[in-house]
Amino acid sequence: MNTLFDKIWDKHVVQQVEDGPTQLYIDRLYCHEVTSPQAFDGMRARGLKCFRPQQIYCMPDHNTPTHDQDKPIEDPVSKKQVDTLAKNAAEFGLTHYGMMSKDNGIIHVVGPEKGLSLPGMTIVCGDSHTSTHGAMGAVAFGIGTSEVEMVMASQCILQQKPKSMQITINGQLGKGVTAKDVALYLMAQITTSGATGYFIEYAGSTVESLSMEGRLTLCNLSIEMGARGGFIAPDETTFEYLKGREFAPKGEAWDKAMAYWKTLKSGDDAVFDKELTFDASDIEPRITYGTNPGMGIGITEAIPTNLQSQTSNLKALNYMGFKVGQKLLGTKVDYVFLGACTNGRIEDFRAFASIVKDRKKADDVVAWLVPGSWAVDKQIREEGLDKVLVEAGFEIRQPGCSACLAMNDDKIPAGKLSVSTSNRNFEGRQGPGARTILASPLTAAAAAVTGVITDPRELL
C-alpha cells in the first residue's frame, strides 16, 4: 500500500504531535547566504550550538558575481551577505564552500554532483528549489528561516505531511524535446497551483529514460506547480551517477547502501491521493509567454485566445508586450541566459554547444553562459566545449545563480526581452521591468544565434 514517499517519510518520523505536525528527522541541511543569517542570529541569541554540524553544508550562490570572483564583491549588500555566511560557518564549525573554492557553485548543483544528496534522505534548505535533490530519490523541500534555525538546533523539523501525487509520463520524447520542456508542459497542463499540498512522484517510461541531469531539471521545477517537492525513485541511472562521487558511500558501505536503495520504490499496490498520466508525444519544445511558469505554449503555437476573460492574464500579456493569438516565433530577443539550478549542468552546456557549433552569436544579443559550479566549468573545458562556445562568440562566466534572480550584478535591463533557462518568469524576476521567456538550453541557443525566438529543431 505504501508509496515511496510514505516509506522515506515514515523512516524519518521522530514523533507525531497529536492533532498536529510531525517531528521529522533531517539528514542534510544546505545553507546559502540569503536565508541563513537570521537563523544563525537566533542560535546565537539562545546560546545554542548546531546539534549535528557534520550534516550541514554552507555555500554562497545567490549574491556571488559571475566575474572577478577573486576580487572583493563591489555590491555592498551582496558582499555583506557572502561575508556573513563565511563568518557564521566558521563560528558554528560548519563546512563552508566559499567563492573561488573548487567546491563552490549553486548549492542545488553541487549537492548532487558531490554525492552529498543521496537516495532515501530527507534534505532541506531555505530555498524553494531544494526539490531539485528529489531527482536522487530523496525527499527534499524548501523551508523558511525559522525552520532553518530549528534544523540547526535539533536536526529535526516540524512538518505537516503532504498528500501524495503520482505523475506518469510514457513514451519517447521527440527531437529537440528536453526535460525542461516536459516540466513546462506539465505546468501548463496542471497550472502553477495544481499540485499545491502534494509531494509528486514522477514515473513512467519517459521519466525512466531521462538522464540524471534531466531528472534534476524536472524535479527542480516541481515547486512551480505548487508542489511541496517532487522526486523520482532511484534506479540504475541514479546508482551509476553516484558511484565514485566524493561523499557517496565506498566499498562495503556502498554495497550496503545499494541493498537499501534498491528497496526505494512505490509498491504496485501503492495508493496515491492523486494520479495523472501524460503522453510524451504531445510535448514539443516549449516557451512561456506570461509572468508565471504555467503560462506556456508549444513553440509553434499561438498565445491562447481564451485569455481575454481574465484580468491577470491580460496584465501579464501587457507586461510582456504580447497579444492573444500571437505566435512568438520570430520575436526579437535581447538577452539569452544559460544557467541556474534548473539548467546550469554539463549536459545543458553540451546541448547549447550542439546548436551554436559552427554558427555565430547574433550581434545584438547579449548572452550570459553561467556554469552551475566550478566542477561544471572544469568539465566544459575538459570536453572542449569552451572552444566551441568562444569560437561562436560566447563567453563563459564564473559560477553562481546569476540572472535567475536580480540579487547580483547580472540583471536584465527594463523592457528587454530575455530567453532564459531559469525557473521563474515573474515580473522583475531578472531585473526591474525585465521580460522573461523560459525555455530549454536548446531553445535558448537557437535564439542566441538567430537573434529571434526560433524552433531549435530547425537547427539540430
Side-chain angles (χ1 to χ4, degrees):
M1 290 284 284
N2 273 6
T3 65
L4 174 52
F5 180 75
D6 292 328
K7 287 182 189 177
I8 298 173
W9 182 276
D10 294 348
K11 194 174 161 62
H12 289 79
V13 171
V14 177
Q15 63 172 332
Q16 183 67 49
V17 178
E18 200 179 332
D19 298 327
T22 305
Q23 184 186 2
L24 196 71
Y25 183 77
I26 299 300
D27 294 306
R28 184 81 70 222
L29 169 65
Y30 293 123
C31 284
H32 58 63
E33 73 278 27
V34 181
T35 55
S36 66
Q38 301 90 333
F40 282 112
D41 285 346
M43 293 285 284
R44 210 175 276 116
R46 293 193 291 155
L48 295 174
K49 288 186 164 70
C50 290
F51 181 58
R52 297 223 162 131
Q54 72 280 12
Q55 284 164 241
I56 304 173
Y57 286 78
C58 304
M59 190 181 310
D61 53 13
H62 283 55
N63 290 93
T64 54
T66 59
H67 57 85
D68 299 319
Q69 286 190 5
D70 54 331
K71 299 183 178 69
I73 298 174
E74 286 175 15
D75 178 63
V77 176
S78 291
K79 184 177 186 330
K80 186 176 182 187
Q81 292 218 300
V82 171
D83 290 351
T84 301
L85 180 65
K87 281 192 203 120
N88 282 330
E91 182 185 334
F92 285 85
L94 305 178
T95 303
H96 175 256
Y97 296 135
M99 257 170 45
M100 292 303 292
S101 113
K102 68 175 176 50
D103 304 296
N104 181 255
I106 304 172
I107 215 155
H108 305 315
V109 174
V110 175
E113 76 184 8
K114 291 184 85 64
L116 282 166
S117 303
L118 298 170
M121 276 188 166
T122 48
I123 300 170
V124 295
C125 173
D127 184 280
S128 56
H129 293 105
T130 308
S131 58
T132 311
H133 307 267
M136 316 309 296
V139 167
F141 52 92
I143 56 175
T145 299
S146 60
E147 294 170 312
V148 171
E149 186 182 338
M150 199 186 291
V151 178
M152 285 177 179
S154 67
Q155 208 56 39
C156 291
I157 192 171
L158 292 174
Q159 280 290 293
Q160 293 288 353
K161 185 178 180 180
K163 291 182 287 188
S164 61
M165 178 190 287
Q166 187 179 54
I167 293 182
T168 305
I169 313 155
N170 288 314
Q172 195 176 348
L173 292 174
K175 176 182 165 185
V177 180
T178 69
K180 179 65 165 286
D181 301 303
V182 173
L184 290 171
Y185 174 80
L186 291 176
M187 283 178 237
Q189 295 299 309
I190 72 173
T191 77
T192 49
S193 59
T196 303
Y198 291 92
F199 216 96
I200 301 169
E201 179 178 340
Y202 297 101
S205 61
T206 312
V207 175
E208 286 161 17
S209 70
L210 291 176
S211 67
M212 207 60 232
E213 313 226 326
R215 295 176 186 194
L216 287 157
T217 296
L218 179 59
C219 290
N220 172 273
L221 290 155
S222 307
I223 194 77
E224 308 307 338
M225 296 171 224
R228 197 71 189 87
F231 72 123
I232 295 165
D235 58 12
E236 288 307 321
T237 302
T238 324
F239 310 146
E240 194 55 42
Y241 176 89
L242 284 170
K243 196 162 193 172
R245 294 196 180 262
E246 187 180 346
F247 289 95
K250 309 279 187 298
E252 215 173 294
W254 172 263
D255 297 336
K256 196 178 165 194
M258 280 286 286
Y260 167 57
W261 293 347
K262 284 178 175 174
T263 69
L264 294 176
K265 45 182 175 282
S266 292
D268 295 336
D269 57 353
V271 178
F272 293 86
D273 294 302
K274 191 169 188 179
E275 295 184 47
L276 299 170
T277 305
F278 299 96
D279 187 335
S281 63
D282 293 336
I283 309 172
E284 69 167 339
R286 308 272 308 175
I287 48 174
T288 59
Y289 58 82
T291 54
N292 78 54
M295 298 179 81
I297 48 175
I299 197 157
T300 61
E301 294 173 351
I303 295 172
T305 51
N306 63 356
L307 296 178
Q308 276 157 317
S309 56
Q310 289 160 302
T311 314
S312 60
N313 288 333
L314 292 177
K315 181 174 177 279
L317 285 180
N318 190 41
Y319 179 85
M320 292 298 293
F322 301 146
K323 291 183 170 62
V324 292
Q326 180 182 347
K327 281 196 169 188
L328 296 185
L329 280 174
T331 303
K332 188 183 173 309
V333 169
D334 303 303
Y335 280 73
V336 166
F337 170 51
L338 172 68
C341 58
T342 316
N343 284 121
R345 298 176 184 83
I346 187 64
E347 202 172 88
D348 303 312
F349 278 80
R350 288 179 194 142
F352 195 96
S354 73
I355 293 251
V356 306
K357 187 174 166 46
D358 301 328
R359 294 187 169 100
K360 284 278 184 253
K361 180 181 80 65
D363 289 341
D364 44 2
V365 169
V366 177
W368 291 333
L369 277 51
V370 186
S373 70
W374 282 106
V376 172
D377 181 85
K378 182 169 179 267
Q379 210 169 340
I380 287 168
R381 293 169 205 287
E382 282 171 358
E383 294 183 16
L385 298 177
D386 56 325
K387 292 183 180 66
V388 172
L389 295 166
V390 169
E391 273 168 27
F394 296 92
E395 170 206 358
I396 300 163
R397 295 167 85 90
Q398 294 174 317
C401 291
S402 183
C404 174
L405 77 176
M407 267 191 183
N408 51 67
D409 300 343
D410 299 353
K411 294 179 180 71
I412 309 295
K416 297 295 184 188
L417 186 67
S418 156
V419 172
S420 175
T421 67
S422 53
N423 40 50
R424 289 185 174 160
N425 54 343
F426 305 155
E427 286 189 23
R429 169 77 176 181
Q430 291 194 290
R435 301 180 299 140
T436 303
I437 285 176
L438 299 179
S440 75
L442 291 175
T443 304
V449 293
T450 60
V452 296
I453 293 172
T454 302
D455 188 335
R457 293 172 293 191
E458 291 174 12
L459 304 186
L460 282 170

